[in-house]
Amino acid sequence: MRTELLAPLDLAFWHLESTEHPMHLGALAFFGGDEGCPEGEDLLDLLAARAAAIPRLRLRVRSVRLPVGGSEWAVAEDFDVRRHVRRVLLPAEGFAAEATLLAGELMERPLARGLPPWEMFVLTADRGGECAVLVKLHHALADGMRAVAIGAGIFDQIAGARPAGPRRKDAEDRPSGFPGPGRAVGIARDRIGEVGQVLGIGASVVRAGRLRTLLPLPGGGGDALSADSSGTRRLATAALSLDDVQRVRRASGGTANDVLLAVVAGALRRWTRERGEPAAGDPRALVPVSRRRPGGAAPGTGNKLSAYLLDLPVTERDPLARLAAVRDSMARNKAAGPSRGAGAVALLADQLPAFASKFGAPLAGGAARVLFDVLVTSVPLPRAALSLGGRPLRAVYPMAPLARGQALAVALSTYDGQVNVGLVADGEAVPDVERLAEAMGEELKGLVQTVRAGTG
């Protein structure tokens, strides 16, 4: 692929970014095994070689004359993988905690704009044994599902299956360019047909956003979630039993994701009450929805996202009632579809012309606080066991970016019988995010006990 225009939503993510609000996704992966990890330099060399073999990681963003305000992905002719892959040595004692703390600090730093927008850090213990890899990918480069597909290329199982010969010329290899005259009429007809859809989505966003401003909901998640952004980042992690999640789901109905959203609500309730700031209202969560189908990418290579909005029932005292409220609300969201409500703002952005994304995205970014209080996203991972350099992947914690005016983002992924939770918080607004992570484990255990008591 030589060049490819950024899709409208990708362009919006690119222009949403500021020094204080970087728009990259992340993941912190821990590796181990009886033999420990490879020597730091060996692991660095392996990671660099694997990353260099992923074509999309060679692309950088470049401005174009047309369309006005547009940009394109272009191969970086001077690409040097060593600019993107680095090693950091950490104390062996308390390695996981040190790696998590460092990951939060590294997530504060925006990616260099003139280079392919990604970084990877090899974190190794000074006396061997443990190691971790931190991956940062700009949201313009990939949504959650595509980030997983790109990041998975570093693992033994995927890298070993990559064909050694010339790659098939698939959709990712074809430059987008401009359509030929034979397609122009059809595209124009499609665009005219999309006008009604865009107007409908826009009206839903405006209605939901206006209702939000009229109701006394700002600060519904407590003072921390409504604090001004400082630009600092702090990461905390939690590991939840997938068996426990499924046990609650079987007893209560709904989906595993409903259970996890209820766990987030219950943890926020515990956390805010301990801080002495019981929620005055229920915080609103933005729950992203991928428009990609597992096993088959949606057309094009850009972000394919919409979202649902969910009022997390933090003020509800009964854990089963909280779960029922989440299940019913999500059922209504799914019945209405992803093009209704303020959560459909991503769909709206995906229909805007390039100049509107360039000049409107920074303004729209300031409206995030009006639309929602916290981001809660699920990131799918391969079900197969993964390894790096023969060392098994023990856990991987996803990380989502914080929009302007947001203090907390919660990302969840399932791997090897666990639901791994990555909580990215504004370091000044939520300095005790580790306590919130602990509260998630406590809330799930409480749900399990409540379910057992009800079925015993």
Side-chain angles (χ1 to χ4, degrees), residues 6-69:
L6 267 72
L9 185 53
D10 301 351
L11 195 62
F13 282 130
W14 188 250
H15 292 305
L16 270 172
E17 184 169 72
S18 67
T19 303
E20 295 77 20
H21 299 92
M23 291 299 296
H24 48 254
L25 309 168
L28 180 60
F30 287 92
F31 300 87
D34 296 337
E35 301 176 11
C37 283
E39 292 294 327
E41 289 301 320
D42 292 341
L43 188 58
L44 184 68
D45 292 342
L46 176 63
L47 188 64
R50 297 270 173 87
I54 300 173
R56 198 156 184 84
L57 295 185
R58 293 174 172 265
L59 303 182
R60 67 179 183 89
V61 176
R62 184 173 65 188
S63 297
V64 295
R65 291 184 178 182
L66 291 175
V68 175

Side-chain angles (χ1 to χ4, degrees), residues 14 17-25 86 104-119 121 136-138 231-233:
W14 188 250
E17 184 169 72
S18 67
T19 303
E20 295 77 20
H21 299 92
M23 291 299 296
H24 48 254
L25 309 168
R86 303 174 182 86
E105 295 174 357
L106 292 173
M107 288 294 287
E108 291 181 14
R109 305 179 187 177
L111 296 162
R113 302 285 280 191
L115 299 173
W118 65 274
E119 290 178 331
F121 295 86
K136 293 168 56 179
L137 296 173
H138 200 285
T232 59
R233 296 291 181 270

Side-chain angles (χ1 to χ4, degrees), residues 248 252 255-270 310 312-314 316 318-327 330 376 412 439-440 443-444 447:
V248 174
S252 62
T255 68
N257 200 50
D258 294 341
V259 176
L260 292 170
L261 288 167
V263 168
V264 172
L268 284 170
R269 176 180 173 83
R270 291 170 182 258
L310 171 69
L312 294 171
V314 170
E316 172 58 60
D318 181 7
L320 291 183
R322 282 198 296 272
L323 178 53
V326 167
R327 185 181 63 238
M330 288 300 290
V376 184
L412 311 103
M440 292 194 64
E443 181 63 20
L444 179 57
L447 263 175

Side-chain angles (χ1 to χ4, degrees), residues 429-454:
V430 191
D432 57 343
V433 66
E434 292 88 355
R435 175 57 199 134
L436 179 56
E438 293 173 357
M440 292 194 64
E442 295 168 0
E443 181 63 20
L444 179 57
K445 290 179 181 178
L447 263 175
V448 171
Q449 292 171 358
T450 302
V451 165
R452 283 175 174 167

Side-chain angles (χ1 to χ4, degrees), residues 20-386:
E20 295 77 20
H21 299 92
M23 291 299 296
H24 48 254
L25 309 168
L28 180 60
F30 287 92
F31 300 87
D34 296 337
E35 301 176 11
C37 283
E39 292 294 327
E41 289 301 320
D42 292 341
L43 188 58
L44 184 68
D45 292 342
L46 176 63
L47 188 64
R50 297 270 173 87
I54 300 173
R56 198 156 184 84
L57 295 185
R58 293 174 172 265
L59 303 182
R60 67 179 183 89
V61 176
R62 184 173 65 188
S63 297
V64 295
R65 291 184 178 182
L66 291 175
V68 175
S71 296
E72 66 181 7
W73 292 111
V75 175
E77 300 297 341
D78 60 346
F79 175 76
D80 181 357
V81 72
R82 292 293 178 167
R83 292 180 178 179
H84 301 266
V85 181
R86 303 174 182 86
R87 180 192 177 197
V88 180
L89 198 62
L90 295 174
E93 185 175 354
F95 175 80
E98 291 289 339
T100 303
L101 181 63
L102 177 62
E105 295 174 357
L106 292 173
M107 288 294 287
E108 291 181 14
R109 305 179 187 177
L111 296 162
R113 302 285 280 191
L115 299 173
W118 65 274
E119 290 178 331
M120 295 185 190
F121 295 86
V122 175
L123 314 179
T124 54
D126 57 6
R127 293 195 299 275
E130 296 184 89
C131 60
V133 172
L134 171 66
V135 179
K136 293 168 56 179
L137 296 173
H138 200 285
H139 211 331
L141 186 66
D143 55 23
M145 286 185 69
R146 192 164 188 82
V148 170
I150 293 173
I154 70 172
F155 294 112
D156 299 338
Q157 291 75 11
I158 286 81
R162 187 182 293 124
R167 295 185 307 124
R168 179 175 56 87
K169 192 174 183 60
D170 57 17
E172 185 171 334
D173 294 312
R174 293 194 296 268
S176 55
F178 294 95
R183 293 184 57 214
V185 173
I187 290 176
R189 184 173 59 248
D190 293 342
R191 285 298 180 187
I192 292 172
E194 289 169 357
V195 170
Q197 179 187 9
V198 171
L199 292 176
I201 293 171
S204 296
V205 171
V206 170
R207 282 196 301 270
R210 182 181 298 163
L211 179 62
R212 177 72 166 164
T213 60
L214 293 176
L215 295 175
L217 290 177
D223 293 340
L225 297 189
S226 60
D228 291 333
S229 301
S230 68
T232 59
R233 296 291 181 270
R234 193 171 183 90
L235 171 67
T237 63
L240 309 177
S241 166
L242 181 58
D243 285 344
D244 283 349
V245 171
Q246 296 291 6
R247 186 174 292 113
V248 174
R249 179 196 62 78
R250 288 192 295 269
S252 62
T255 68
N257 200 50
D258 294 341
V259 176
L260 292 170
L261 288 167
V263 168
V264 172
L268 284 170
R269 176 180 173 83
R270 291 170 182 258
W271 176 68
T272 53
R273 292 177 69 84
E274 287 178 7
R275 290 168 60 97
E277 48 181 56
D282 290 334
R284 177 175 283 184
L286 185 75
V287 184
V289 179
S290 176
R291 293 188 289 131
R292 298 184 188 277
R293 292 176 299 174
T301 58
N303 279 270
K304 300 293 178 182
L305 292 172
S306 186
Y308 296 133
L309 286 175
L310 171 69
D311 289 333
L312 294 171
V314 170
T315 54
E316 172 58 60
R317 297 178 59 182
D318 181 7
L320 291 183
R322 282 198 296 272
L323 178 53
V326 167
R327 185 181 63 238
D328 293 346
S329 183
M330 288 300 290
R332 288 193 296 271
N333 271 326
K334 293 170 185 176
S339 61
R340 292 292 179 266
V345 68
L347 274 177
L348 181 62
D350 207 21
Q351 302 293 332
L352 294 177
F355 71 87
S357 294
K358 180 173 182 177
F359 299 110
L363 297 175
R369 177 178 288 181
V370 175
L371 298 178
F372 63 97
D373 300 300
V374 59
L375 174 75
V376 184
T377 183
S378 294
V379 181
L381 291 179
R383 295 184 179 180
L386 299 171

